[in-house]
Amino acid sequence: MDAITERELGSGTESGAAASLAERLHGFRSLGDNCEFGFVQRYGGVEPSGLLRFAYTPMEDLIRGLRCGFEDLGAPGDLHLSVSQGGTFYCHSRAYNIWANTGQTPDSITPETLLDREYGRLAHLKRKMLDELATGSHIFVRKVAQDEPQADFDRLAEAVWAHGPSTLLRVTEAGPDWRPEPVRRAGDRLIEGRVRRFAPLDTAWETDLEPWMHLVDSAWSLVRGAPATELGEGAFQPAMPLPGGLRRHAGRRRAPGFHGFTRMVDRAAFDPQAIYTFAAWIWIPEAFSGTRIQAAAGYARLSGLDADLTRRSCWQKVWASGHLTHAEREPVGLAMVGSRRDHFWSAGACFVRGPIPEQGRAPHWPTPPKPLSPRDLFARLQARLG
């Protein structure tokens, strides 16, 4: 493992593509469902405030709240706290069945202090949301499951538009065959787009980030009449040089376990506020018996895409994004769970300053060589000896 120093890094300024995506993410507000879009914004490098950004909000309660301007939200006795299985306080509105993760743990704050703070915070965010609805200054996002009736979303749209001329983005799942596609206009103030999959309800942080970034960029372009952000080769500033040629990665131990193929970099050479992404194309042989191939961009991983182990003898992209803030030396590169019987190939490795890898089709690298059979090895040995 090699140590990377500041001399090998770029200038440290934000790239145009990363800045463009962050600016556009600021222009969206979540209409609940769960916390997924809040994490999309976080993984894109922004932390806008929003009443429903990190909230579970059932459709019927959301519609009812919008129709009355959430008049009873934060009224005396409306809010109460409970501790989730993850060990954090959730704040629940009895009036509208809104559950919001406070991010606070019982050992960090007293329930009385937190509840008092939540009453003040929600009062401010409610006023802010109603102002944003009235001015139409933001695009409001709601995910819709395949089995959710269209009539429910139509009622939601009416409740939103009763406050002002806001644009509503309806998001559905496309499935594993998703490809980047433009958002389409379905009405005067209604647009629709798709992502590959939604995050699980109970683990909303497990976002499929690349489709969301395409969706946000396309929606903003359509509504604001702005050009799409260029996300192809060279879109993001290189964070350090990496060899991009064909490389073989093999396990080193007989027993199955974790094997890292990373460089350890000095975190002091990187901006602690920036998001960095490592990406590479990998080729998994048919005989691979390991259980995971993944990327690393520091210990504080935000998002990424592991290898699909069902795809063999073809190129596929793996990547991870994160902050380099956890330890003095942070890992950047690839890893696998397997044994010394397992190996895979990589090519096109890069490390950039940005929330997702550069977009594009798999380059046309040659097929990696297959391992030699015992017969081939014996034949080569005979040729050398004789």
Side-chain angles (χ1 to χ4, degrees), residues 48-251:
S49 59
L51 178 66
L52 304 176
R53 184 180 170 207
F54 287 113
Y56 166 72
T57 320
M59 179 70 87
E60 286 299 323
D61 297 289
L62 173 62
I63 293 171
R64 183 166 53 83
L66 285 166
R67 284 175 172 171
C68 67
F70 293 101
E71 60 182 359
D72 294 323
L73 179 63
D78 177 43
L79 305 181
H80 77 97
L81 299 175
S82 60
V83 180
S84 69
Q85 291 183 348
T88 60
F89 279 117
Y90 269 70
C91 182
H92 178 222
S93 164
R94 293 183 173 95
Y96 302 104
N97 199 26
I98 297 173
W99 292 84
N101 189 346
T102 69
Q104 299 290 331
T105 58
D107 60 354
S108 66
I109 192 170
T110 64
E112 295 78 15
T113 300
L114 179 58
L115 193 60
D116 184 64
R117 181 187 301 176
E118 286 299 296
Y119 271 104
R121 187 182 72 89
L122 290 181
H124 165 72
L125 291 178
K126 180 173 71 172
R127 291 192 299 270
K128 184 172 183 286
M129 179 178 178
L130 294 175
D131 288 343
E132 291 169 345
L133 286 166
T135 61
S137 57
H138 292 75
I139 300 171
F140 285 83
V141 182
R142 179 74 185 194
K143 300 185 304 178
V144 179
Q146 291 182 349
D147 59 351
E148 196 162 347
Q150 177 64 40
D152 289 352
F153 193 86
D154 292 341
R155 291 188 297 115
L156 172 64
E158 291 175 0
V160 168
W161 294 332
H163 291 272
S166 294
T167 296
L168 189 58
L169 172 58
R170 182 178 185 269
V171 184
T172 56
E173 290 181 296
D177 295 330
W178 173 88
R179 295 293 183 272
E181 60 186 15
V183 167
R184 72 179 189 91
R185 190 173 292 279
D188 183 34
R189 288 168 290 169
L190 176 62
I191 57 178
E192 297 181 339
R194 304 191 300 172
V195 295
R196 183 163 34 219
R197 63 163 179 84
F198 294 150
L201 182 63
D202 296 331
T203 54
W205 57 87
E206 295 180 358
T207 64
D208 188 5
L209 191 61
E210 284 177 289
W212 275 108
M213 292 291 101
H214 283 280
L215 180 71
V216 164
D217 189 66
S218 177
W220 183 266
S221 298
L222 178 63
V223 173
R224 304 301 184 193
T229 303
E230 176 54 53
L231 298 175
E233 184 177 356
F236 300 105
Q237 176 195 350
M240 68 179 181
L242 288 177
L246 186 66
R247 302 186 67 184
R248 183 177 183 270
H249 308 276

Side-chain angles (χ1 to χ4, degrees), residues 267-304:
R267 75 169 184 186
F270 296 85
D271 182 350
Q273 302 302 318
I275 298 174
Y276 296 93
T277 295
F278 171 85
W281 292 88
I282 67 163
W283 180 286
I284 306 175
E286 293 291 342
F288 184 82
S289 60
T291 57
R292 188 177 185 184
I293 298 175
Q294 66 186 97
Y299 289 116
R301 176 171 169 144
L302 294 175
S303 190

